[in-house]
Amino acid sequence: MTAISLHRREPAAVRFERLPPLSLYVHVPWCIRKCPYCDFNSHEHRGEGGAGALPEVRYVDALIADLEQSLPQVWGREVSTVFFGGGTPSLFSPEAIDRFLGSARALLPIRADAEITLEANPSTFESGRFAAYRALGINRLSIGIQSFDPAHLSALGRVHDGAEALRAVAIARQHFHNFNLDLMYALPRQSPEQAVADVARAVSEGAPHVSAYHLTLEPNTLFHRFPPPLPDDDAAALMQERIEALLGEAGYRHYETSAFARPGSECRHNLNYWSFGDYLGIGAGAHGKLTLRDRVTRHMKWKHPREYMERALAGNAAQTASDVAAAELPFEFMMNALRLNEGFETGLFTERTSLPLASVASRLDAAEARGLLTRDHRRVQPTALGRRFLNELLEIFLD
């Protein structure tokens, strides 16, 4: 096994008495089709391995090698959540996922009650396949519905239609107690009524968790180069208000900027991210953040799937690995924790950054004076205004 080499950028300025919870993120980079709005590291799989074949065996070999190379940084640390993201991880067979999980359990102490999430596309749903995922230990799904409306799905370049979306939800309900439906609003030519109808359908289908994202035109996407006709800012804001009201009335707790859950169905993996916990990222282009006793580190794996497999199997999965400067830790913490509607307990800042909260007192004062957050001796919390203008709130903490 080869350990990742970390290059120190400055003398150690922090000291951690207690390490955060640890999660494992596993990236599967292939999709049936690249969506025009997607800026994730995803690749249409027909170009890999010839004739549309996925290199499952080789890629799982690379994931296991990647995990082995990372072990020296996480010796003895318990893994509380695992998340298979993509891409479309449900393109991989249950046998491939099972082989990786078996190796991961042999290499790492994964909690018996760990939340293990698999992202899935409705076009990949087949009852027996998802029963097999459940049997091997996957206990949560995140399903990329985006919309139930066929016209909007077509505008988004999705490969499934409304009927397939509903069938996927039915299969998820059959085999999984906890699952999330990903939805988007402010879609091309979408009205507020149509946006609300999508969310209402997710509620009526019994989704324990709903993620509702505003469509944004990200750089290096087809939509950024050729923008579709989108609703204006006023219409998008109205959609957001109505969606939040509908989900609140239906008993969902709005616990993060775009996340709504029935009690007990919050995503534990994402909560660890937003609480500035640690996560080991493996797979093509995966990012990670790990806390050592005297510093916080970041790493990124080689991005292109072919190069990633070659490098990982040769003992060099990490493309970059470096320390986070102590001066950057307050912003990094706030960028995550202020996404939570309930904010964070004051002691968590020191626990996760090893810095006193007083080190950002002037910035907290400035944010409070602008009505973007509230605080007392126990908690720092974004206001409704701060949640709506989160980027402006976060800019206050930029060094």
Side-chain angles (χ1 to χ4, degrees), residues 305-320:
R306 188 179 297 110
E307 183 171 22
Y308 166 77
M309 288 186 282
E310 291 172 357
R311 298 271 189 169
L313 291 170
N316 184 28
Q319 182 175 8
T320 64

Side-chain angles (χ1 to χ4, degrees), residues 5-17:
S5 175
L6 293 170
H7 302 286
R8 300 290 300 281
R9 299 191 310 190
E10 62 174 18
V14 295
R15 180 71 185 174
F16 293 91
E17 300 301 326

Side-chain angles (χ1 to χ4, degrees), residues 76-219:
R77 295 183 64 181
E78 189 175 58
V79 174
S80 57
T81 68
V82 181
F83 195 104
F84 291 88
T88 306
S90 57
L91 288 174
F92 268 31
S93 67
E95 292 76 16
I97 300 292
D98 188 33
R99 185 162 77 90
F100 171 77
L101 278 176
S103 294
R105 291 182 176 114
L107 293 167
L108 289 170
I110 298 177
R111 288 177 53 138
D113 65 345
E115 176 191 87
I116 306 179
T117 301
L118 181 81
E119 285 189 338
N121 188 299
S123 62
T124 66
F125 270 73
E126 186 273 320
S127 185
R129 184 184 187 89
F130 280 81
Y133 288 138
R134 184 66 187 91
L136 61 88
I138 304 294
N139 52 29
R140 184 177 182 273
L141 295 181
S142 185
I143 309 171
I145 298 291
Q146 314 314 348
S147 176
F148 291 97
D149 186 308
H152 293 135
L153 289 170
S154 177
L156 291 172
R158 301 295 289 176
V159 296
H160 67 274
D161 57 23
E164 285 179 305
L166 291 172
R167 180 172 174 272
V169 177
I171 292 172
R173 261 198 327 263
Q174 180 183 357
H175 298 294
F176 291 84
H177 174 72
N178 195 8
F179 61 90
N180 167 61
L181 300 186
D182 260 353
L183 297 172
M184 300 176 74
Y185 64 92
L187 307 180
R189 295 190 172 88
Q190 186 181 47
S191 69
E193 292 74 21
Q194 290 171 325
V196 172
D198 270 340
V199 176
R201 189 59 188 259
V203 172
S204 70
E205 292 294 323
H209 190 290
V210 174
S211 296
Y213 299 101
H214 187 300
L215 173 63
T216 56
L217 305 186
E218 301 290 352

